[in-house]
Amino acid sequence: MKRLLIIAGVLGGLAVLAGAGILLYRVATGPRMYHQENIRSYEALMPLPPAGSVPLEAAAGPPEAAAAVSLVNPVAATPENISRGETYYGYYCRFCHGEEGRGEADAGKGYLPIPAPLDSDRVRAMNDGQLVRAMLLGTGHQPVLARIVPVESCWHIALFVRTLGPAATAP
Ligand code: HEC
Protein backbone atom coordinates (compact mmCIF):
# COMPACT_ATOMS: atom_id res chain seq x y z
CA MET A 1 0.00 0.00 0.00
CA LYS A 2 2.77 2.37 0.93
CA ARG A 3 4.61 1.46 -2.27
CA LEU A 4 1.52 2.16 -4.38
CA LEU A 5 1.19 5.60 -2.86
CA ILE A 6 4.85 6.39 -3.61
CA ILE A 7 4.46 5.23 -7.23
CA ALA A 8 1.30 7.25 -7.63
CA GLY A 9 3.05 10.31 -6.15
CA VAL A 10 6.05 9.95 -8.49
CA LEU A 11 3.80 9.44 -11.55
CA GLY A 12 1.70 12.44 -10.57
CA GLY A 13 4.80 14.56 -10.14
CA LEU A 14 6.10 13.47 -13.55
CA ALA A 15 2.77 14.31 -15.20
CA VAL A 16 2.78 17.82 -13.71
CA LEU A 17 6.39 18.33 -14.83
CA ALA A 18 5.59 17.11 -18.35
CA GLY A 19 2.56 19.42 -18.52
CA ALA A 20 4.60 22.39 -17.38
CA GLY A 21 7.31 21.52 -19.92
CA ILE A 22 4.84 21.36 -22.80
CA LEU A 23 3.31 24.68 -21.73
CA LEU A 24 6.71 26.36 -21.53
CA TYR A 25 7.65 24.97 -24.95
CA ARG A 26 4.38 26.26 -26.51
CA VAL A 27 4.86 29.70 -24.98
CA ALA A 28 8.46 29.88 -26.19
CA THR A 29 7.79 28.69 -29.75
CA GLY A 30 4.08 29.32 -30.31
CA PRO A 31 2.50 32.00 -32.45
CA ARG A 32 3.15 35.59 -31.41
CA MET A 33 0.77 38.55 -31.70
CA TYR A 34 2.63 39.83 -34.70
CA HIS A 35 2.05 36.57 -36.57
CA GLN A 36 -1.69 37.06 -36.47
CA GLU A 37 -3.19 38.28 -39.71
CA ASN A 38 -5.97 40.28 -38.07
CA ILE A 39 -3.42 42.24 -36.05
CA ARG A 40 -1.09 42.74 -38.98
CA SER A 41 -3.80 44.27 -41.16
CA TYR A 42 -3.74 47.33 -38.92
CA GLU A 43 -0.17 47.90 -39.96
CA ALA A 44 -1.17 48.35 -43.60
CA LEU A 45 -0.24 51.72 -45.10
CA MET A 46 -3.16 53.92 -46.11
CA PRO A 47 -3.24 54.85 -49.81
CA LEU A 48 -1.93 58.33 -50.58
CA PRO A 49 -4.52 61.05 -51.35
CA PRO A 50 -4.71 62.11 -55.02
CA ALA A 51 -2.02 64.55 -56.13
CA GLY A 52 -2.93 68.17 -55.39
CA SER A 53 -5.28 67.30 -52.50
CA VAL A 54 -5.60 69.92 -49.81
CA PRO A 55 -5.51 68.97 -46.11
CA LEU A 56 -8.82 69.93 -44.57
CA GLU A 57 -7.31 70.45 -41.12
CA ALA A 58 -5.16 73.26 -42.46
CA ALA A 59 -8.11 74.73 -44.35
CA ALA A 60 -10.20 74.69 -41.17
CA GLY A 61 -7.62 76.73 -39.26
CA PRO A 62 -7.50 80.50 -38.83
CA PRO A 63 -8.58 82.61 -41.87
CA GLU A 64 -4.99 83.49 -42.79
CA ALA A 65 -4.10 79.80 -42.87
CA ALA A 66 -7.22 78.99 -44.85
CA ALA A 67 -6.51 81.76 -47.34
CA ALA A 68 -2.97 80.55 -47.80
CA VAL A 69 -4.14 77.14 -48.95
CA SER A 70 -4.82 76.88 -52.65
CA LEU A 71 -8.10 75.07 -52.81
CA VAL A 72 -8.13 73.44 -56.21
CA ASN A 73 -10.26 70.43 -57.09
CA PRO A 74 -7.80 67.63 -57.92
CA VAL A 75 -10.54 65.65 -59.68
CA ALA A 76 -11.28 66.56 -63.32
CA ALA A 77 -14.87 67.54 -64.17
CA THR A 78 -15.43 64.70 -66.62
CA PRO A 79 -18.97 63.27 -67.06
CA GLU A 80 -17.75 60.06 -65.43
CA ASN A 81 -16.45 61.86 -62.33
CA ILE A 82 -19.64 63.94 -62.09
CA SER A 83 -21.74 60.79 -62.17
CA ARG A 84 -19.54 59.26 -59.48
CA GLY A 85 -20.20 62.44 -57.50
CA GLU A 86 -23.93 61.90 -57.95
CA THR A 87 -23.58 58.39 -56.52
CA TYR A 88 -21.62 59.67 -53.51
CA TYR A 89 -24.14 62.50 -53.05
CA GLY A 90 -26.74 59.72 -52.85
CA TYR A 91 -24.80 58.03 -50.06
CA TYR A 92 -23.93 61.02 -47.91
CA CYS A 93 -26.10 64.03 -48.72
CA ARG A 94 -29.39 63.22 -50.45
CA PHE A 95 -31.33 62.08 -47.39
CA CYS A 96 -30.88 65.57 -45.91
CA HIS A 97 -30.35 67.90 -48.88
CA GLY A 98 -32.74 66.11 -51.24
CA GLU A 99 -32.74 65.11 -54.90
CA GLU A 100 -32.63 68.75 -56.05
CA GLY A 101 -30.40 69.95 -53.22
CA ARG A 102 -33.12 72.17 -51.71
CA GLY A 103 -33.43 70.47 -48.33
CA GLU A 104 -36.63 68.73 -49.37
CA ALA A 105 -35.63 65.25 -48.14
CA ASP A 106 -37.33 63.72 -45.09
CA ALA A 107 -34.31 63.77 -42.80
CA GLY A 108 -33.48 67.32 -43.90
CA LYS A 109 -36.97 68.62 -43.09
CA GLY A 110 -36.36 67.69 -39.45
CA TYR A 111 -33.63 70.33 -39.19
CA LEU A 112 -34.04 73.92 -38.14
CA PRO A 113 -33.04 75.64 -40.32
CA ILE A 114 -33.56 73.04 -43.05
CA PRO A 115 -30.41 72.24 -45.04
CA ALA A 116 -29.40 75.29 -47.07
CA PRO A 117 -30.10 75.03 -50.82
CA LEU A 118 -27.08 73.81 -52.74
CA ASP A 119 -27.94 75.74 -55.91
CA SER A 120 -27.93 79.13 -54.15
CA ASP A 121 -25.78 82.07 -55.27
CA ARG A 122 -23.90 81.67 -52.01
CA VAL A 123 -22.86 78.11 -52.80
CA ARG A 124 -22.16 79.00 -56.45
CA ALA A 125 -19.82 81.75 -55.29
CA MET A 126 -17.70 79.23 -53.37
CA ASN A 127 -14.76 77.65 -55.11
CA ASP A 128 -14.58 73.85 -54.91
CA GLY A 129 -12.26 73.98 -51.92
CA GLN A 130 -14.62 76.25 -49.98
CA LEU A 131 -17.51 74.01 -50.97
CA VAL A 132 -15.73 70.91 -49.66
CA ARG A 133 -14.93 72.73 -46.44
CA ALA A 134 -18.58 73.80 -46.07
CA MET A 135 -19.84 70.29 -46.75
CA LEU A 136 -17.54 68.72 -44.19
CA LEU A 137 -17.19 71.29 -41.44
CA GLY A 138 -20.00 73.80 -42.07
CA THR A 139 -22.88 74.55 -39.69
CA GLY A 140 -25.46 71.79 -39.60
CA HIS A 141 -22.84 69.11 -40.27
CA GLN A 142 -19.98 68.98 -37.90
CA PRO A 143 -18.31 66.83 -36.95
CA VAL A 144 -19.76 63.66 -38.43
CA LEU A 145 -19.37 64.14 -42.18
CA ALA A 146 -15.69 65.03 -41.89
CA ARG A 147 -15.17 61.61 -40.39
CA ILE A 148 -17.24 59.52 -42.77
CA VAL A 149 -16.92 61.01 -46.25
CA PRO A 150 -13.62 59.93 -47.84
CA VAL A 151 -11.65 62.99 -48.96
CA GLU A 152 -11.49 61.95 -52.58
CA SER A 153 -15.27 61.43 -52.73
CA CYS A 154 -15.73 65.03 -51.51
CA TRP A 155 -14.19 66.39 -54.68
CA HIS A 156 -16.45 64.23 -56.82
CA ILE A 157 -19.45 65.43 -54.80
CA ALA A 158 -18.33 69.04 -55.30
CA LEU A 159 -18.36 68.47 -59.08
CA PHE A 160 -21.87 67.06 -58.84
CA VAL A 161 -23.19 69.86 -56.59
CA ARG A 162 -22.19 72.29 -59.38
CA THR A 163 -24.74 70.63 -61.64
CA LEU A 164 -27.69 71.12 -59.21
CA GLY A 165 -30.37 73.70 -59.90
CA PRO A 166 -31.94 74.98 -63.11
CA ALA A 167 -29.39 77.68 -63.96
CA ALA A 168 -26.34 75.53 -63.31
CA THR A 169 -24.35 74.67 -66.39
CA ALA A 170 -22.66 71.33 -66.22
CA PRO A 171 -18.95 71.91 -66.83
C1 HEC B 1 -27.77 65.46 -41.36
C2 HEC B 1 -28.30 66.22 -42.47
C3 HEC B 1 -27.27 66.70 -43.49
C4 HEC B 1 -26.42 65.93 -44.24
C5 HEC B 1 -26.25 64.43 -44.23
C6 HEC B 1 -25.69 66.85 -45.11
N1 HEC B 1 -26.08 68.13 -44.84
FE1 HEC B 1 -25.32 69.79 -45.70
N2 HEC B 1 -26.39 70.94 -44.44
C7 HEC B 1 -27.31 70.48 -43.49
C8 HEC B 1 -27.75 71.59 -42.70
C9 HEC B 1 -28.77 71.49 -41.54
C10 HEC B 1 -27.08 72.74 -43.18
C11 HEC B 1 -27.11 74.13 -42.61
C12 HEC B 1 -28.29 74.91 -42.93
C13 HEC B 1 -28.10 76.32 -42.39
O1 HEC B 1 -27.46 76.48 -41.35
O2 HEC B 1 -28.58 77.24 -43.06
C14 HEC B 1 -26.24 72.31 -44.27
C15 HEC B 1 -25.42 73.15 -45.02
C16 HEC B 1 -24.68 72.76 -46.11
C17 HEC B 1 -23.89 73.63 -46.94
C18 HEC B 1 -23.71 75.13 -46.73
C19 HEC B 1 -24.66 75.88 -47.60
C20 HEC B 1 -24.49 77.36 -47.39
O3 HEC B 1 -25.29 78.09 -47.98
O4 HEC B 1 -23.58 77.78 -46.66
C21 HEC B 1 -23.33 72.89 -47.93
C22 HEC B 1 -22.43 73.33 -49.05
C23 HEC B 1 -23.76 71.51 -47.71
N3 HEC B 1 -24.57 71.48 -46.60
C24 HEC B 1 -23.42 70.46 -48.50
C25 HEC B 1 -23.61 69.13 -48.12
C26 HEC B 1 -23.07 68.00 -48.83
C27 HEC B 1 -22.32 68.10 -50.15
C28 HEC B 1 -23.41 66.90 -48.12
C29 HEC B 1 -23.00 65.47 -48.40
C30 HEC B 1 -21.57 65.22 -48.28
C31 HEC B 1 -24.19 67.32 -46.99
N4 HEC B 1 -24.28 68.67 -47.02
C32 HEC B 1 -24.74 66.47 -46.04
C33 HEC B 1 -27.69 69.17 -43.32
C34 HEC B 1 -27.05 68.07 -43.86
Side-chain angles (χ1 to χ4, degrees):
M1 186 66 200
K2 210 172 172 194
R3 234 192 218 171
L4 260 182
L5 272 180
I6 292 173
I7 291 175
V10 168
L11 281 182
L14 279 179
V16 168
L17 271 180
I22 289 171
L23 201 70
L24 272 177
Y25 177 78
R26 292 295 298 270
V27 168
T29 61
R32 297 270 169 190
M33 276 300 230
Y34 53 77
H35 287 143
Q36 293 183 13
E37 214 33 62
N38 54 346
I39 304 285
R40 288 193 70 81
S41 66
Y42 288 103
E43 293 168 15
L45 286 178
M46 297 302 286
L48 289 173
S53 299
V54 172
L56 284 168
E57 288 79 3
E64 317 82 71
V69 184
S70 67
L71 299 163
V72 176
N73 195 329
V75 176
T78 60
E80 194 209 332
N81 283 337
I82 293 172
S83 103
R84 276 176 70 179
E86 183 171 13
T87 306
Y88 298 147
Y89 180 86
Y91 296 161
Y92 302 116
C93 324
R94 187 175 293 144
F95 62 96
C96 276
H97 281 277
E99 201 71 39
E100 306 291 324
R102 305 243 171 73
E104 74 273 19
D106 286 345
K109 277 189 265 177
Y111 277 78
L112 198 70
I114 63 162
L118 297 181
D119 61 346
S120 66
D121 291 343
R122 213 159 84 95
V123 172
R124 293 230 173 104
M126 297 176 184
N127 68 28
D128 282 1
Q130 289 165 327
L131 178 57
V132 167
R133 186 147 39 111
M135 78 169 81
L136 293 186
L137 302 164
T139 343
H141 291 164
Q142 73 265 50
V144 189
L145 284 174
R147 277 194 248 129
I148 53 173
V149 188
V151 171
E152 198 196 334
S153 312
C154 290
W155 296 107
H156 290 93
I157 296 172
L159 296 178
F160 171 70
V161 167
R162 298 298 179 204
T163 68
L164 288 171
T169 43

